[in-house]
Amino acid sequence: MAKNAEEAERGLCARFVAFDESSPEIAACINLWNIRRGVNQAAILGYSVDSSRLGRGYATEAARAVVRYAFDELRLHRLETSYHPENAASGRVLRKLGFSVEGYARDYLRIAGEWRDAILVGLINGAWTE
Ligand SMILES: CC(C)(COP(=O)(O)OP(=O)(O)OC[C@H]1O[C@@H](n2cnc3c(N)ncnc32)[C@H](O)[C@@H]1OP(=O)(O)O)[C@@H](O)C(=O)NCCC(=O)NCCS
C-alpha cells in the first residue's frame, strides 16, 4: 500500500481534491497531515491550487471546507501550518480562514535543497467539546 493511503487508513492524514463546476480537472488539493490524537487533537493543514486557476478564491473556499471537516467531523481542537514569508497569497488565505501568527521559524523546511524560514500559524476550534 502506498505510504499516503496507509497513513489515511490509520487516521494519520486525510486528503481532499476540489473541482470547479466547469471542468473535470482537479482545481485544488487540500490535506490534513500528521493528525495527532491524545493530548494534541491537532493536525497540519496543506493546500495548493492549479496554477491556471489562481486568484479566484479556490484555496480559501476549499481550505475553509476542510477546516470545517477537521473541526466538525474529525473533532480536532487545533490546526497548524506554516508559510514562507514571501508567500503573501498563502498568508492572506490563512488570515481569511482565521489563522493567527504564532511564531517565526528559522530554517524550518528544506525545499529543493535549501533551508527556508517559515511563519508559523494556528487556528483553535473554539467550539471543541470532549
Ligand atoms: C497560495 C495559494 C494556495 C493561493 O491560492 P488561490 O486560490 O490563488 O488563493 P485565493 O484566491 O483563495 O486567495 C488569495 C488571496 O491572496 C491575495 N494575494 C495574491 N497574491 C498576493 C500578493 N502577492 N500579495 C498579497 N496578497 C496576495 C489575493 O488577493 C487573495 O486575497 P483577497 O481574497 O483578499 O483578494 C496558491 O498560490 C498556491 O497553490 N501556491 C503554491 C502552493 C502553496 O504555496 N501552498 C501553500 C503552502 S503554505
Side-chain angles (χ1 to χ4, degrees), residues 47-49 54-60 82-83 87-90 92-93 96:
Y47 46 82
S48 64
V49 169
L54 298 177
R56 299 188 203 168
Y58 288 179
T60 306
S82 64
Y83 64 96
N87 193 350
S90 188
R92 176 76 188 127
V93 168
K96 287 192 285 182

Side-chain angles (χ1 to χ4, degrees), residues 45 47 59-60 63-64 81-101 118-122:
L45 176 73
Y47 46 82
T60 306
R64 183 171 280 131
T81 190
S82 64
Y83 64 96
H84 299 302
E86 62 273 21
N87 193 350
S90 188
R92 176 76 188 127
V93 168
L94 291 163
R95 264 194 304 284
K96 287 192 285 182
L97 295 176
F99 280 77
S100 38
V101 172
I119 296 169
L120 310 177
V121 299

Side-chain angles (χ1 to χ4, degrees), residues 70-72 75-79 123-129:
F71 286 170
D72 295 350
R75 301 178 52 75
L76 295 175
H77 176 248
R78 172 185 167 82
L79 291 177
L123 179 67
I124 299 294
N125 176 6
W128 189 87
T129 51

